[in-house]
Amino acid sequence: MKGLFIHGAQDMRLEDVTTPEPADGEVLLRVRYVGICGSDLHYYFHGKNGENVVREPFAPGHELSATVEADPSGEWAKGTPVTVHPARYGTPVDGIGDRPHLWPGGDYLGSAADFPHRQGAAAEYVVVEKPMLRGLPEGLSLRDAALAEPLGVALHALTVAGDLGDRALVLGAGPVGLLIVAALAARGVEHVAVGDIQEAALGRARALGAHETFHIGRDEVPTTSYPVVFECSGAPASLTQAVASASRAGVVVQVGMLADAAIGVNLAPLVSKEVQLRGTFRFSTEIDEAVDLLATNPSISQVVTHVFPAAEAVGAFETAKDSAASGKVLIAF
């Protein structure tokens, strides 16, 4: 079979490798689509994602759709369309039993956090444990189902936010920011505002249901105006804006990954307005809601702007890096 492997910074190869065999409790999947995430971009362009360094040939990819190729138990029929919850949970911790994604010792498809690395889904075939499978409802295409994982991330950010109220601001209209816009619209939030530095990204946000957009650097973003703000870029200046734009007693949800370093952020209004700053990490059960939402709201699939064959993976990553040119980029196997 063909598999896509990152060997180091800007060194990615489509290689012939042995097709894996499923053991008891596992299923062999024929991968159809894999989405490119921000972490995948870091692995390819920098050879690392934060502190997670590529130390062996590494298959990226944790956003996927597939069909069942073989299930030794016979529970899943060959050809069944599925997506995958990419997490294996670690050791339960008292007090956060309902948040297994925060337990220590787990892993995630396509993560170099551990060594040997947890290989990802960017290959023609991949083996996963059966509890990770999610069958697709009638009418949900394999292409659109590749959005289930990032939409789960977006929905978990809404979970962390709590009461959404009637107004929300999303800063950063990359793929996850766009999916948060779509999720807010689906939840019936009356006024969804979006800020980004790219006019093309703002156009995509409007198509997904944004009521108002701000071109960062040109337009003035209102302050003390939004009960909930989702910061999706990870830029320090954007976090400063998020705190400034939050209402008194509002909530800022930090969705974008922040640098593992001291950064310059003005958090003074956090105190004077009693703003709550909340982090959000991956998701727990929200992927199930994501599958249902994709099936009932086909317009969300507009987040996908490009699909590349696996042989053109380098071009796919270059396109995904350019936020002016692309939303979510998929690789087809």
Side-chain angles (χ1 to χ4, degrees):
M1 72 168 193
K2 295 290 186 182
L4 194 64
F5 293 91
I6 296 171
H7 290 255
Q10 299 188 54
D11 181 4
M12 183 164 56
R13 312 169 199 172
L14 189 63
E15 301 175 337
D16 290 310
V17 292
T18 302
T19 302
E21 294 287 340
D24 289 343
E26 295 180 335
V27 173
L28 177 67
L29 301 180
R30 173 66 174 90
V31 177
R32 301 299 180 180
Y33 294 95
V34 173
I36 299 176
C37 175
S39 62
D40 300 322
L41 294 176
H42 284 295
Y43 283 129
Y44 171 61
F45 285 102
H46 309 297
K48 62 180 182 178
N49 178 38
E51 296 180 335
N52 303 333
V53 179
V54 174
R55 290 179 283 167
E56 64 176 336
F58 170 64
H62 53 265
E63 308 171 1
L64 73 146
S65 63
T67 54
V68 173
E69 183 67 17
D71 176 7
S73 73
E75 179 182 348
W76 289 84
K78 182 175 180 178
T80 301
V82 297
T83 188
V84 171
H85 191 313
R88 295 190 297 194
Y89 296 133
T91 304
V93 175
D94 289 342
I96 55 171
D98 60 341
R99 289 187 276 181
H101 58 294
L102 300 182
W103 298 346
D107 62 19
Y108 214 71
L109 282 176
S111 172
D114 298 317
F115 187 83
H117 300 328
R118 176 67 160 129
Q119 298 295 334
E124 289 183 300
Y125 295 92
V126 66
V127 166
V128 301
E129 289 88 341
K130 284 198 293 185
M132 301 170 75
L133 296 182
R134 300 294 189 274
L136 303 187
E138 190 74 26
L140 179 56
S141 70
L142 285 163
R143 175 188 179 276
D144 295 354
L147 291 171
E149 193 276 347
L151 182 55
V153 171
L155 290 168
H156 185 65
L158 270 61
T159 299
V160 169
D163 184 4
L164 296 173
D166 58 1
R167 291 171 59 83
L169 173 65
V170 179
L171 293 174
V176 170
L178 291 173
L179 289 169
I180 288 176
V181 171
L184 290 168
R187 292 275 182 89
V189 175
E190 294 179 8
H191 188 90
V192 179
V194 181
D196 198 275
I197 62 173
Q198 301 285 357
E199 186 58 45
L202 294 176
R204 289 189 281 272
R206 288 190 289 270
L208 285 162
H211 303 94
E212 184 177 22
T213 56
F214 304 102
H215 191 290
I216 304 298
R218 183 190 70 195
D219 302 330
E220 183 175 350
V221 183
T223 58
T224 316
S225 299
Y226 300 95
V228 181
V229 182
F230 297 90
E231 198 300 297
C232 302
S233 73
S238 185
L239 178 52
T240 294
Q241 182 65 64
V243 174
S245 293
S247 300
R248 299 182 188 280
V251 172
V252 173
V253 181
Q254 184 60 43
V255 185
M257 293 297 291
L258 297 170
D260 184 19
I263 57 176
V265 179
N266 183 358
L267 296 179
L270 192 79
V271 175
S272 61
K273 294 191 295 186
E274 289 193 1
V275 171
Q276 296 183 46
L277 177 59
R278 302 177 183 176
T280 181
F281 181 65
R282 294 176 180 165
F283 55 86
S284 177
T285 61
E286 287 88 354
I287 194 169
D288 301 307
E289 182 184 353
V291 170
D292 292 338
L293 195 57
L294 287 166
T296 56
N297 291 265
S299 64
I300 296 175
S301 66
Q302 297 176 81
V303 171
V304 177
T305 57
H306 297 78
V307 180
F308 286 81
E312 299 176 17
V314 170
F317 273 66
E318 292 285 353
T319 300
K321 184 183 180 183
D322 184 355
S323 61
S326 68
K328 174 60 68 177
V329 177
L330 305 180
I331 298 175
F333 281 87

